[in-house]
Amino acid sequence: MFHVEHVFNIMAENKRNNYDIIVIGGGHAGIEASYISNKMGMNVALITMNKNTIGAPSCNPSIGGTAKGHLVKEIDALGGIMPRIADDAGIQFKILNISKGPAVWSPRAQIDKDLYPVVALNYLLKEEKLTIIEETIDELLLVSGRVAGVVLKSGETIHSKAVIITAGTFLRGVMWTGLESNKGGRFGEPSADKLSIQLKDAGFQLDRLKTGTPPRVHKDSIDYTKLKLHPGDDKPAPFSIHTESVINQVMCYATDTNLQVHSILQEGFEASPMFTGLIGGTGPRYCPSIEDKVNRFSDKSSHKIVLEPEGLNTDSVYVNGFSTSLPKETQLKGLHKIKGLENSEIIRFGYAIEYDFFNPYQLKLTLETKNIEGLYYAGQINGTSGYEEAAAQGLMAGINAALQIRNSEPFILKRNEAYIGVMIDDLVNKEHQEPYRVFTSLAEYRLLLRVDNVYDRLSEYAFKFGTINLETYEHLRLKRDYRELAILHSKNTKLKPAAVNPYLSEIGESEIIDTSDVYSLTKRGPVKLSELLKFVENNELFDNIKLDEELINNIQIDIKYEGYIQRQLKEVDYFLQNENKVIPENFDYGKLQSLSTEALNKLSKIRPGSLGQASRIQGISATDISILSLFLRGG
Amino acid sequence: MNMSKTIAALATPPGSSGIAVIRISGPEAVNIADVHFAGRKSLAEAASHTIHYGKFIANGAIVDTITASIFLAPNSYTGENVVEISSHGSIVVYEEILRNLLSSGASMAKPGEFTERAFLNGKMDLIQAEAVADLISSVSIFSEHASARQVSGEFTSRIKEFKQRLIDIASLLELELDFAEEDLEFISQQKIKQDIELNYDFIQSLIDSYQASQITRSGYYVALVGFPNTGKSTLFNSLLKRERAIVSHIPGTTRDYLEEFLYLNGIPVKLFDTAGLRDSDDIIEIEGIKLVNSILNQANMICILNDASVSENLSNNLYNKLSKEYSSKKIIIVQNKMDLYTGNDLPEDQIKISAKFGNDLTSLTAFIESEARKSTERINDILLNQRQYLILQDVKSLLMNSISSIDDEMDNSFIAFDIRNAIRKLGEFTGEIYSEDILNNIFTKFCIGK
């Protein structure tokens, strides 16, 4: 009858059915929510169908990328676990956009898909107050508008003060390959229909989205001689400050589609669930399927394909850029026209999955639901796509559930503080017709939300919550202090023409006539601070940090882009003016007769906490906000 | 803000005048007016958009004979029930009427509250409300036309087009930043630079037209300066044809400054009489001289008055000094006291007058008028207010920044930074994006009763 498995710590019988927090679902959001709340001293139960698929990467074999890499670093700064799992399971590491400005440098790693869940599970098993239970949830236990626990399929009841649902694609998931469909979340796993129905009955608005995945081919069936190399960085860097070092263990390869491929795919359109309207959910514009790309960008004669090994001990290679739900024979025929894949053998065909999500306007910025206290939603269930987006939400839901139990102030990151803040604010305030993923363009204060300053931005919070220890915190604070001091020192440190001119002429810069300070020399386009410091003598601070390549690079960023950063900081001041105009929680929008009907509905539904938040709600005009503002001023 | 209240205020300028209009707006407007109205029938029975002759009664006594105009919701300026009472324009009368309306249940309207209600009731959008504010403070026929154009909304469409061009550029920049993995260049930096430079000229022309529009809005500013006792106040008075400045022969009589409007064939000219320029131990006069600098900063034209009877070259150094300091302004020397002048080597191109006897004053006024007309020629179909002007100044410097980022070979994220800001600023300009500044600009600029 009972299938509650005590994987690591044997709980005393009387405590078994009583926890602070229950996390439903062992995906990336679930891992993060249970890990972080446990770090904050909570007794946590993580309920999943199968502990061995915890954190199983169901789509791409990679973590990070443009803007997503920022999220991973933010998770690290706040004390989360994804960065460490990715480092341990990573097999190729690369910083993207390195030729562009520092605001868009984004770390990315290929991961071993078999190793990732093993590493994830091991991290969770090390936590003392975290229990993993292999079960399916039938329903939530609700007591007077508050969540009080869950009822398992076995009939057993588990009590808790908070529940975090991170059920991902398992809610009424349907998978499509061509016109064939299967019920299920991830390939070969059942979906949780009953919970989905209960939540719908509780008044939550469900909508439908779809996402897709490309085929996997056998590694030995690829003709590597025809492909371009796609290597990792020469000096691979880990995501986490807790990871000493990482190494590149695999090579990826690049190829392209061509017109022949496109015309084959077009023949299969009539058997595509998307084109025939069988899939009602909306698909992502930004991570489009190959049929979408061919259809929408019909003037382009080729699209980039990257072949990414799914692990060290697997034959499976992920065909990145070829996400599809076309019929099997079309997928195969199309792939065979791609250079290097002429004889490829498909191990698993691409498929689309359609699933329910809860429209996140029903959430507070803490990710707690508005109508059931103590109930939190995190991850794909909120309509996001991507492991990183899911993990970041799990982290925030976990922290906020723990803070609520501790009776502490909620933790809301503002748009000027973190990509996490941008994402959650967008989720709650915007309408979603397609899965949400982060982009750097979504961040108004992109120049401030960089990877290089992520610990300066967030480690104070982490230390306050107890999710990083004193040693880590002091280490980070020391670096931040060095960074600030180094700017002053660079202004006061002079270099003589004789010393520095050979370097300047070598890089094509005009030579100096009088002595010049390190600061103004660093500001020049191609000048490297690390090179200048070679000419600096007897400066204790620079002597101390000279060898810390990363720190020197960060100081160089501070100096080179100081003007831009200062201007962006001014904008933040302006932005915060409206963020700080609080709208009382029980504000009666009904008395603002002059509001448009749409604004009245949306404001009453979303209940923004500030004038600034109200102004970002989609469909609310400047006129509506002005009306609100006049009322808030008291006329 | 309580729109269930009925508000009242004087709608015409305060002070004595031919008639005074007291405006009442709100659900109880008609009932409150009825308490004091004695006519052929009660106002409650009156149809909308009708005018009624009667008497305003307070405590059984007649205060004045009045007309009451009725506008019923929603077809009124504020969108509420409105009554406008026209009385005789004596301060005693309209204050008595207003006091009685307040004691019968109306509340005193705050500055701009009528227009605020019009906005809140959807009678006008913010840009229109702003234009109303501009209209009220406008002083010439020119700007009434321009403000009316703003009210019609035609005005924002050009800015919106411009904004759209910037959005197109920004989208391409963002695509490239967010889809780096695709190795695509969607737009070259040089192309962006070209596009921005094209738009930059457009912005510059708007900024230029603001300078010109300032004149139609507030008048062409002419400052009379000169050494003491050159006859500045006498000229000031002669031009205004009345004794406004205190005139005496003791140098340094004008200790503060005086300003008055003068209409030259419909062109508003604001004339400033200033304290004489000199070093003085008299403390009060030094204060006055400091003020002169602030006037010269605002002035479009600086008119240096020279006492020709002392020497025709007396003010030449002053002219050179001012020309250097205020190089963007029109600066002229006017030779005064020609009735006492005996020499004959005055430059041809200088204006020569006798302020005291009014000789040849038309040569001066004609010159001022032609200069004022010249400087309004740059006005195109758009008139800006100061808020909009300041936004455009910001936009201009943001565009300049983005061009210098391109020249410095900075990455797209830096170029996008300035362009995105410019887009936001333009959204605030058109009212598409909420900005506190619009509200402040509108509802603090109004006087009570509008």
Side-chain angles (χ1 to χ4, degrees), chain A residues 97 100-101 304 439-441 443 446 564 567 571 574 594 622 626 629 633-635, chain B residues 1 110 120 126 174 178 180-181 183 401 405 411 417-418 420-421 428 431 434 440:
Chain A
N97 298 335
K100 300 181 193 271
K304 190 173 175 182
F439 283 106
T440 70
S441 54
R446 176 167 55 201
Y564 289 93
R567 282 201 284 133
E571 277 179 51
Y574 183 75
S594 21
S626 305
S629 170
R633 291 177 178 202
Chain B
M1 167 63 44
K110 291 188 284 285
L120 288 175
L126 277 181
E174 297 297 347
D178 275 331
E181 285 131 287
D183 290 334
N401 285 336
S405 295
D411 155 71
F417 163 56
D418 286 310
R420 282 164 59 150
N421 269 338
E428 290 182 5
Y434 169 73
N440 287 337

mmCIF file of all heavy atoms in Angstrom, chain A residues 97 100-101 304 439-441 443 446 564 567 571 574 594 622 626 629 633-635, chain B residues 1 110 120 126 174 178 180-181 183 401 405 411 417-418 420-421 428 431 434 440:
data_model
loop_
_atom_site.group_PDB
_atom_site.id
_atom_site.type_symbol
_atom_site.label_atom_id
_atom_site.label_comp_id
_atom_site.label_asym_id
_atom_site.label_seq_id
_atom_site.Cartn_x
_atom_site.Cartn_y
_atom_site.Cartn_z
ATOM 1 N N ASN A 97 29.269 34.799 -26.760
ATOM 2 C CA ASN A 97 29.266 36.254 -27.011
ATOM 3 C C ASN A 97 30.514 36.971 -26.535
ATOM 4 O O ASN A 97 30.461 38.163 -26.246
ATOM 5 C CB ASN A 97 28.075 36.943 -26.310
ATOM 6 C CG ASN A 97 26.763 36.446 -26.810
ATOM 7 O OD1 ASN A 97 26.660 35.962 -27.925
ATOM 8 N ND2 ASN A 97 25.743 36.562 -25.989
ATOM 9 N N LYS A 100 31.425 40.215 -27.910
ATOM 10 C CA LYS A 100 30.540 41.362 -27.679
ATOM 11 C C LYS A 100 30.778 41.956 -26.294
ATOM 12 O O LYS A 100 31.715 41.570 -25.617
ATOM 13 C CB LYS A 100 29.086 40.914 -27.833
ATOM 14 C CG LYS A 100 28.791 40.354 -29.222
ATOM 15 C CD LYS A 100 27.343 39.952 -29.356
ATOM 16 C CE LYS A 100 27.138 39.124 -30.592
ATOM 17 N NZ LYS A 100 26.852 39.827 -31.797
ATOM 18 N N GLY A 101 29.936 42.880 -25.902
ATOM 19 C CA GLY A 101 30.126 43.569 -24.620
ATOM 20 C C GLY A 101 29.904 42.662 -23.420
ATOM 21 O O GLY A 101 29.230 41.636 -23.519
ATOM 22 N N LYS A 304 21.346 26.751 -39.192
ATOM 23 C CA LYS A 304 22.485 26.122 -38.526
ATOM 24 C C LYS A 304 22.058 24.926 -37.660
ATOM 25 O O LYS A 304 21.033 24.983 -36.978
ATOM 26 C CB LYS A 304 23.186 27.160 -37.648
ATOM 27 C CG LYS A 304 24.511 26.706 -37.107
ATOM 28 C CD LYS A 304 25.198 27.864 -36.390
ATOM 29 C CE LYS A 304 26.480 27.371 -35.727
ATOM 30 N NZ LYS A 304 27.142 28.443 -35.000
ATOM 31 N N PHE A 439 15.685 36.479 -22.187
ATOM 32 C CA PHE A 439 16.552 37.058 -23.200
ATOM 33 C C PHE A 439 17.216 38.267 -22.571
ATOM 34 O O PHE A 439 16.631 38.893 -21.693
ATOM 35 C CB PHE A 439 15.727 37.533 -24.407
ATOM 36 C CG PHE A 439 15.288 36.439 -25.298
ATOM 37 C CD1 PHE A 439 13.966 36.013 -25.300
ATOM 38 C CD2 PHE A 439 16.196 35.806 -26.124
ATOM 39 C CE1 PHE A 439 13.559 34.983 -26.115
ATOM 40 C CE2 PHE A 439 15.799 34.775 -26.947
ATOM 41 C CZ PHE A 439 14.488 34.360 -26.944
ATOM 42 N N THR A 440 18.382 38.609 -23.069
ATOM 43 C CA THR A 440 19.010 39.807 -22.490
ATOM 44 C C THR A 440 18.190 41.043 -22.850
ATOM 45 O O THR A 440 18.181 42.012 -22.118
ATOM 46 C CB THR A 440 20.459 40.007 -22.973
ATOM 47 O OG1 THR A 440 20.459 40.388 -24.343
ATOM 48 C CG2 THR A 440 21.286 38.738 -22.795
ATOM 49 N N SER A 441 17.478 40.976 -23.973
ATOM 50 C CA SER A 441 16.715 42.157 -24.388
ATOM 51 C C SER A 441 15.526 42.429 -23.479
ATOM 52 O O SER A 441 14.944 43.507 -23.532
ATOM 53 C CB SER A 441 16.239 41.998 -25.830
ATOM 54 O OG SER A 441 15.526 40.799 -25.973
ATOM 55 N N ALA A 443 15.772 42.652 -20.320
ATOM 56 C CA ALA A 443 16.275 43.388 -19.152
ATOM 57 C C ALA A 443 16.538 44.832 -19.535
ATOM 58 O O ALA A 443 17.404 45.110 -20.353
ATOM 59 C CB ALA A 443 17.553 42.734 -18.630
ATOM 60 N N ARG A 446 20.196 45.952 -18.577
ATOM 61 C CA ARG A 446 21.102 44.887 -19.006
ATOM 62 C C ARG A 446 22.560 45.172 -18.656
ATOM 63 O O ARG A 446 23.299 44.274 -18.284
ATOM 64 C CB ARG A 446 20.954 44.711 -20.520
ATOM 65 C CG ARG A 446 21.908 43.711 -21.129
ATOM 66 C CD ARG A 446 21.503 43.359 -22.537
ATOM 67 N NE ARG A 446 21.368 44.531 -23.388
ATOM 68 C CZ ARG A 446 20.661 44.537 -24.514
ATOM 69 N NH1 ARG A 446 20.050 43.447 -24.928
ATOM 70 N NH2 ARG A 446 20.577 45.616 -25.228
ATOM 71 N N TYR A 564 28.843 54.334 -18.988
ATOM 72 C CA TYR A 564 27.572 53.673 -19.289
ATOM 73 C C TYR A 564 26.896 53.175 -18.019
ATOM 74 O O TYR A 564 25.689 53.300 -17.846
ATOM 75 C CB TYR A 564 27.798 52.483 -20.225
ATOM 76 C CG TYR A 564 28.179 52.869 -21.632
ATOM 77 C CD1 TYR A 564 29.516 52.964 -22.008
ATOM 78 C CD2 TYR A 564 27.203 53.163 -22.579
ATOM 79 C CE1 TYR A 564 29.868 53.326 -23.299
ATOM 80 C CE2 TYR A 564 27.543 53.523 -23.867
ATOM 81 C CZ TYR A 564 28.878 53.597 -24.237
ATOM 82 O OH TYR A 564 29.217 53.956 -25.498
ATOM 83 N N ARG A 567 25.362 55.974 -16.080
ATOM 84 C CA ARG A 567 24.122 56.468 -16.675
ATOM 85 C C ARG A 567 22.974 55.500 -16.425
ATOM 86 O O ARG A 567 21.842 55.895 -16.178
ATOM 87 C CB ARG A 567 24.315 56.694 -18.178
ATOM 88 C CG ARG A 567 25.055 57.989 -18.462
ATOM 89 C CD ARG A 567 24.813 58.458 -19.870
ATOM 90 N NE ARG A 567 25.569 57.682 -20.825
ATOM 91 C CZ ARG A 567 25.050 57.182 -21.944
ATOM 92 N NH1 ARG A 567 23.776 57.371 -22.234
ATOM 93 N NH2 ARG A 567 25.794 56.485 -22.766
ATOM 94 N N GLU A 571 19.180 55.842 -14.429
ATOM 95 C CA GLU A 571 17.880 55.368 -14.896
ATOM 96 C C GLU A 571 17.200 54.539 -13.831
ATOM 97 O O GLU A 571 15.984 54.565 -13.683
ATOM 98 C CB GLU A 571 18.066 54.431 -16.088
ATOM 99 C CG GLU A 571 18.226 55.119 -17.378
ATOM 100 C CD GLU A 571 18.434 54.061 -18.430
ATOM 101 O OE1 GLU A 571 17.647 53.111 -18.509
ATOM 102 O OE2 GLU A 571 19.429 54.181 -19.137
ATOM 103 N N TYR A 574 15.337 56.589 -11.424
ATOM 104 C CA TYR A 574 14.072 57.041 -12.008
ATOM 105 C C TYR A 574 13.040 55.914 -11.944
ATOM 106 O O TYR A 574 11.890 56.114 -11.545
ATOM 107 C CB TYR A 574 14.347 57.473 -13.450
ATOM 108 C CG TYR A 574 13.173 58.030 -14.203
ATOM 109 C CD1 TYR A 574 12.707 59.310 -13.954
ATOM 110 C CD2 TYR A 574 12.542 57.281 -15.187
ATOM 111 C CE1 TYR A 574 11.645 59.832 -14.653
ATOM 112 C CE2 TYR A 574 11.469 57.789 -15.890
ATOM 113 C CZ TYR A 574 11.023 59.073 -15.622
ATOM 114 O OH TYR A 574 9.969 59.568 -16.327
ATOM 115 N N SER A 594 -13.199 55.917 -14.055
ATOM 116 C CA SER A 594 -12.707 56.346 -15.354
ATOM 117 C C SER A 594 -11.737 55.358 -16.001
ATOM 118 O O SER A 594 -11.352 55.550 -17.144
ATOM 119 C CB SER A 594 -12.077 57.717 -15.219
ATOM 120 O OG SER A 594 -11.711 57.977 -13.897
ATOM 121 N N ALA A 622 -1.011 54.211 -20.551
ATOM 122 C CA ALA A 622 -0.454 55.305 -19.754
ATOM 123 C C ALA A 622 -1.574 56.133 -19.129
ATOM 124 O O ALA A 622 -1.432 56.639 -18.027
ATOM 125 C CB ALA A 622 0.435 56.179 -20.625
ATOM 126 N N SER A 626 -2.061 56.986 -15.274
ATOM 127 C CA SER A 626 -2.183 58.368 -14.805
ATOM 128 C C SER A 626 -3.389 58.526 -13.894
ATOM 129 O O SER A 626 -3.326 59.204 -12.875
ATOM 130 C CB SER A 626 -2.317 59.319 -15.997
ATOM 131 O OG SER A 626 -1.239 59.145 -16.882
ATOM 132 N N SER A 629 -2.490 57.006 -10.677
ATOM 133 C CA SER A 629 -1.529 57.858 -9.983
ATOM 134 C C SER A 629 -2.214 59.069 -9.342
ATOM 135 O O SER A 629 -1.917 59.434 -8.207
ATOM 136 C CB SER A 629 -0.455 58.309 -10.967
ATOM 137 O OG SER A 629 0.354 59.300 -10.401
ATOM 138 N N ARG A 633 -2.270 59.842 -5.313
ATOM 139 C CA ARG A 633 -1.804 61.093 -4.737
ATOM 140 C C ARG A 633 -2.872 61.727 -3.858
ATOM 141 O O ARG A 633 -2.604 62.727 -3.205
ATOM 142 C CB ARG A 633 -1.565 62.127 -5.831
ATOM 143 C CG ARG A 633 -0.450 61.888 -6.736
ATOM 144 C CD ARG A 633 -0.533 63.030 -7.735
ATOM 145 N NE ARG A 633 0.543 62.962 -8.690
ATOM 146 C CZ ARG A 633 0.956 64.005 -9.387
ATOM 147 N NH1 ARG A 633 0.367 65.166 -9.236
ATOM 148 N NH2 ARG A 633 1.932 63.881 -10.236
ATOM 149 N N GLY A 634 -4.084 61.222 -3.964
ATOM 150 C CA GLY A 634 -5.175 61.849 -3.236
ATOM 151 C C GLY A 634 -5.687 63.078 -3.957
ATOM 152 O O GLY A 634 -6.179 64.008 -3.344
ATOM 153 N N GLY A 635 -5.522 63.072 -5.296
ATOM 154 C CA GLY A 635 -6.042 64.186 -6.092
ATOM 155 C C GLY A 635 -5.195 65.426 -5.927
ATOM 156 O O GLY A 635 -5.672 66.510 -5.946
ATOM 157 N N MET B 1 -8.648 62.728 -4.183
ATOM 158 C CA MET B 1 -9.526 62.858 -5.358
ATOM 159 C C MET B 1 -10.880 62.240 -5.039
ATOM 160 O O MET B 1 -11.001 61.046 -4.860
ATOM 161 C CB MET B 1 -8.867 62.156 -6.539
ATOM 162 C CG MET B 1 -9.740 61.912 -7.737
ATOM 163 S SD MET B 1 -10.365 63.384 -8.529
ATOM 164 C CE MET B 1 -8.890 64.387 -8.531
ATOM 165 N N LYS B 110 -9.546 72.853 -6.766
ATOM 166 C CA LYS B 110 -8.098 73.048 -6.741
ATOM 167 C C LYS B 110 -7.630 73.446 -8.145
ATOM 168 O O LYS B 110 -8.353 73.222 -9.118
ATOM 169 C CB LYS B 110 -7.415 71.755 -6.305
ATOM 170 C CG LYS B 110 -7.668 71.425 -4.838
ATOM 171 C CD LYS B 110 -6.840 70.247 -4.376
ATOM 172 C CE LYS B 110 -7.371 68.928 -4.848
ATOM 173 N NZ LYS B 110 -8.572 68.450 -4.154
ATOM 174 N N LEU B 120 -10.229 62.539 -16.189
ATOM 175 C CA LEU B 120 -10.654 61.312 -15.499
ATOM 176 C C LEU B 120 -11.973 60.785 -16.062
ATOM 177 O O LEU B 120 -12.235 59.600 -16.033
ATOM 178 C CB LEU B 120 -10.794 61.568 -13.995
ATOM 179 C CG LEU B 120 -9.461 61.754 -13.255
ATOM 180 C CD1 LEU B 120 -9.703 62.116 -11.803
ATOM 181 C CD2 LEU B 120 -8.600 60.500 -13.343
ATOM 182 N N LEU B 126 -4.273 62.867 -22.027
ATOM 183 C CA LEU B 126 -3.313 63.696 -21.304
ATOM 184 C C LEU B 126 -2.660 64.741 -22.196
ATOM 185 O O LEU B 126 -2.403 65.858 -21.770
ATOM 186 C CB LEU B 126 -2.227 62.815 -20.686
ATOM 187 C CG LEU B 126 -2.583 62.172 -19.357
ATOM 188 C CD1 LEU B 126 -1.414 61.365 -18.861
ATOM 189 C CD2 LEU B 126 -2.948 63.228 -18.325
ATOM 190 N N GLU B 174 18.836 43.897 -31.047
ATOM 191 C CA GLU B 174 18.518 42.893 -30.024
ATOM 192 C C GLU B 174 18.562 41.485 -30.585
ATOM 193 O O GLU B 174 19.028 40.564 -29.928
ATOM 194 C CB GLU B 174 17.132 43.170 -29.417
ATOM 195 C CG GLU B 174 17.009 44.483 -28.675
ATOM 196 C CD GLU B 174 17.907 44.573 -27.450
ATOM 197 O OE1 GLU B 174 18.453 43.537 -27.023
ATOM 198 O OE2 GLU B 174 18.065 45.685 -26.937
ATOM 199 N N ASP B 178 20.727 38.523 -28.916
ATOM 200 C CA ASP B 178 20.106 37.352 -28.297
ATOM 201 C C ASP B 178 20.244 36.084 -29.123
ATOM 202 O O ASP B 178 19.995 34.996 -28.626
ATOM 203 C CB ASP B 178 18.634 37.638 -27.984
ATOM 204 C CG ASP B 178 18.488 38.337 -26.638
ATOM 205 O OD1 ASP B 178 19.350 38.105 -25.773
ATOM 206 O OD2 ASP B 178 17.534 39.096 -26.452
ATOM 207 N N ALA B 180 23.099 35.155 -30.773
ATOM 208 C CA ALA B 180 24.521 35.124 -31.105
ATOM 209 C C ALA B 180 24.908 33.753 -31.643
ATOM 210 O O ALA B 180 25.765 33.629 -32.510
ATOM 211 C CB ALA B 180 25.330 35.441 -29.871
ATOM 212 N N GLU B 181 24.232 32.719 -31.143
ATOM 213 C CA GLU B 181 24.586 31.360 -31.540
ATOM 214 C C GLU B 181 24.352 31.113 -33.028
ATOM 215 O O GLU B 181 24.963 30.251 -33.621
ATOM 216 C CB GLU B 181 23.777 30.342 -30.717
ATOM 217 C CG GLU B 181 24.278 30.209 -29.303
ATOM 218 C CD GLU B 181 23.168 30.311 -28.263
ATOM 219 O OE1 GLU B 181 22.658 31.423 -28.035
ATOM 220 O OE2 GLU B 181 22.809 29.275 -27.692
ATOM 221 N N ASP B 183 25.162 33.115 -35.363
ATOM 222 C CA ASP B 183 26.212 33.778 -36.156
ATOM 223 C C ASP B 183 25.659 34.689 -37.248
ATOM 224 O O ASP B 183 26.112 34.640 -38.389
ATOM 225 C CB ASP B 183 27.107 32.742 -36.862
ATOM 226 C CG ASP B 183 27.961 32.006 -35.864
ATOM 227 O OD1 ASP B 183 28.229 32.584 -34.799
ATOM 228 O OD2 ASP B 183 28.354 30.865 -36.160
ATOM 229 N N ASN B 401 25.138 59.982 -28.128
ATOM 230 C CA ASN B 401 25.880 58.924 -27.431
ATOM 231 C C ASN B 401 25.973 57.667 -28.271
ATOM 232 O O ASN B 401 27.017 57.028 -28.343
ATOM 233 C CB ASN B 401 25.174 58.542 -26.125
ATOM 234 C CG ASN B 401 25.373 59.578 -25.050
ATOM 235 O OD1 ASN B 401 26.336 60.329 -25.091
ATOM 236 N ND2 ASN B 401 24.454 59.617 -24.102
ATOM 237 N N SER B 405 29.230 55.794 -29.525
ATOM 238 C CA SER B 405 29.505 54.379 -29.206
ATOM 239 C C SER B 405 29.913 53.621 -30.469
ATOM 240 O O SER B 405 30.809 52.778 -30.437
ATOM 241 C CB SER B 405 28.272 53.696 -28.603
ATOM 242 O OG SER B 405 27.944 54.261 -27.363
ATOM 243 N N ASP B 411 30.261 47.590 -28.576
ATOM 244 C CA ASP B 411 29.372 46.506 -28.973
ATOM 245 C C ASP B 411 27.909 46.951 -29.022
ATOM 246 O O ASP B 411 27.545 47.975 -28.454
ATOM 247 C CB ASP B 411 29.601 45.406 -27.930
ATOM 248 C CG ASP B 411 28.421 44.505 -27.802
ATOM 249 O OD1 ASP B 411 28.192 43.741 -28.741
ATOM 250 O OD2 ASP B 411 27.715 44.592 -26.783
ATOM 251 N N PHE B 417 21.566 50.372 -25.715
ATOM 252 C CA PHE B 417 21.270 51.028 -24.439
ATOM 253 C C PHE B 417 20.715 52.432 -24.675
ATOM 254 O O PHE B 417 19.661 52.805 -24.160
ATOM 255 C CB PHE B 417 22.554 51.055 -23.607
ATOM 256 C CG PHE B 417 22.567 52.009 -22.447
ATOM 257 C CD1 PHE B 417 21.600 51.945 -21.461
ATOM 258 C CD2 PHE B 417 23.568 52.960 -22.333
ATOM 259 C CE1 PHE B 417 21.618 52.813 -20.394
ATOM 260 C CE2 PHE B 417 23.598 53.834 -21.270
ATOM 261 C CZ PHE B 417 22.624 53.764 -20.302
ATOM 262 N N ASP B 418 21.429 53.212 -25.500
ATOM 263 C CA ASP B 418 20.984 54.584 -25.742
ATOM 264 C C ASP B 418 19.730 54.636 -26.618
ATOM 265 O O ASP B 418 18.856 55.462 -26.398
ATOM 266 C CB ASP B 418 22.110 55.389 -26.391
ATOM 267 C CG ASP B 418 23.190 55.729 -25.376
ATOM 268 O OD1 ASP B 418 22.840 56.228 -24.302
ATOM 269 O OD2 ASP B 418 24.377 55.472 -25.650
ATOM 270 N N ARG B 420 17.374 52.368 -26.867
ATOM 271 C CA ARG B 420 16.218 51.942 -26.064
ATOM 272 C C ARG B 420 15.731 53.080 -25.175
ATOM 273 O O ARG B 420 14.536 53.295 -25.008
ATOM 274 C CB ARG B 420 16.579 50.723 -25.215
ATOM 275 C CG ARG B 420 16.582 49.453 -26.018
ATOM 276 C CD ARG B 420 17.288 48.304 -25.328
ATOM 277 N NE ARG B 420 16.701 47.962 -24.052
ATOM 278 C CZ ARG B 420 16.715 46.728 -23.546
ATOM 279 N NH1 ARG B 420 17.257 45.734 -24.222
ATOM 280 N NH2 ARG B 420 16.197 46.477 -22.384
ATOM 281 N N ASN B 421 16.683 53.809 -24.596
ATOM 282 C CA ASN B 421 16.296 54.954 -23.769
ATOM 283 C C ASN B 421 15.591 56.018 -24.577
ATOM 284 O O ASN B 421 14.627 56.620 -24.105
ATOM 285 C CB ASN B 421 17.538 55.571 -23.142
ATOM 286 C CG ASN B 421 17.815 54.961 -21.806
ATOM 287 O OD1 ASN B 421 16.907 54.419 -21.194
ATOM 288 N ND2 ASN B 421 19.046 55.033 -21.367
ATOM 289 N N GLU B 428 7.261 58.663 -23.606
ATOM 290 C CA GLU B 428 6.790 59.621 -22.599
ATOM 291 C C GLU B 428 6.345 60.917 -23.283
ATOM 292 O O GLU B 428 5.399 61.563 -22.863
ATOM 293 C CB GLU B 428 7.903 59.931 -21.594
ATOM 294 C CG GLU B 428 8.214 58.752 -20.696
ATOM 295 C CD GLU B 428 9.284 59.082 -19.656
ATOM 296 O OE1 GLU B 428 9.718 60.250 -19.579
ATOM 297 O OE2 GLU B 428 9.673 58.158 -18.925
ATOM 298 N N GLY B 431 2.993 60.385 -24.654
ATOM 299 C CA GLY B 431 2.001 59.973 -23.676
ATOM 300 C C GLY B 431 1.687 58.489 -23.737
ATOM 301 O O GLY B 431 0.816 58.005 -23.021
ATOM 302 N N TYR B 434 3.684 55.969 -19.397
ATOM 303 C CA TYR B 434 3.337 56.777 -18.242
ATOM 304 C C TYR B 434 4.542 57.559 -17.759
ATOM 305 O O TYR B 434 5.635 57.020 -17.637
ATOM 306 C CB TYR B 434 2.829 55.885 -17.111
ATOM 307 C CG TYR B 434 2.713 56.630 -15.808
ATOM 308 C CD1 TYR B 434 1.692 57.550 -15.627
ATOM 309 C CD2 TYR B 434 3.636 56.441 -14.787
ATOM 310 C CE1 TYR B 434 1.592 58.264 -14.446
ATOM 311 C CE2 TYR B 434 3.548 57.151 -13.608
ATOM 312 C CZ TYR B 434 2.519 58.061 -13.437
ATOM 313 O OH TYR B 434 2.429 58.774 -12.275
ATOM 314 N N ASN B 440 2.596 66.243 -13.574
ATOM 315 C CA ASN B 440 3.066 67.430 -12.867
ATOM 316 C C ASN B 440 2.953 68.654 -13.754
ATOM 317 O O ASN B 440 2.529 69.714 -13.316
ATOM 318 C CB ASN B 440 4.516 67.248 -12.427
ATOM 319 C CG ASN B 440 4.605 66.272 -11.279
ATOM 320 O OD1 ASN B 440 3.622 66.067 -10.563
ATOM 321 N ND2 ASN B 440 5.757 65.654 -11.116
#
